Amino acid sequence: MNAPLDPLSIDLSGLLGQPGTTTVSSQSIDAGISTQSSLQTSAGVEISLDPTGGLSAVVEGGIAADTDSYVYGSYDSVEAAADIDAGTTYVSMTSADGSAYADAGFEAGGGLGITLSPGDGGLPDLDIATESGIDTHCDYGMHGSYDTTEIHQDNSVDIG
């Protein structure tokens, strides 16, 4: 074993080449969580009076929300053992990682318009208009991997 072991960059050649039995073990765990949220609101009122005596009022409003999250984790393990006297070497490397994310949100809005104007024959004209809308979205994903490598070497000589 003359090269460093990736991904932990541990050079075991000096340890494993010594007489006797040597055992080395290393583990690494990494994890994290990230989240973000937002909320937006809006509203408005418009009132107008025209020269003919007509009155108009418009009311509008809306709300939007969004959130996203990300979670990840990884695990790395390296184990190495050598018994120079017996002529055996054992190396095991294990790596696992995974992640998940999600994003979701919605938008909603609406409006109301009222117009009152002088009509024919003494009766006023009344117009009412409304509008509304809703939009949603969602996205998610996952990833995972697992790798393992084992090496066993037996250089013993049986003189029998």
Side-chain angles (χ1 to χ4, degrees), residues 49-126:
L49 181 62
D50 68 27
T52 64
L55 176 67
S56 296
V58 177
V59 178
E60 296 178 320
I63 186 168
D66 191 61
T67 184
D68 61 67
S69 298
Y70 178 72
V71 178
Y72 71 91
S74 68
Y75 172 76
D76 296 302
S77 173
V78 176
E79 294 180 21
D83 187 342
I84 299 303
D85 297 333
T88 59
T89 303
Y90 173 77
V91 177
S92 174
M93 295 176 282
T94 302
S95 177
D97 68 82
S99 63
Y101 73 90
D103 177 28
F106 77 92
E107 295 180 36
L112 171 66
I114 299 174
T115 302
L116 183 61
S117 58
D120 296 332
L123 295 174
D125 288 335
L126 176 64

Side-chain angles (χ1 to χ4, degrees), residues 19 24 27 29 44 46-47 52 55 59 72-74 96 109 126 131 133 140:
V24 177
Q27 295 182 353
I29 297 173
E46 179 183 325
I47 299 175
T52 64
L55 176 67
V59 178
Y72 71 91
S74 68
L126 176 64
E131 65 176 299
Y140 61 91

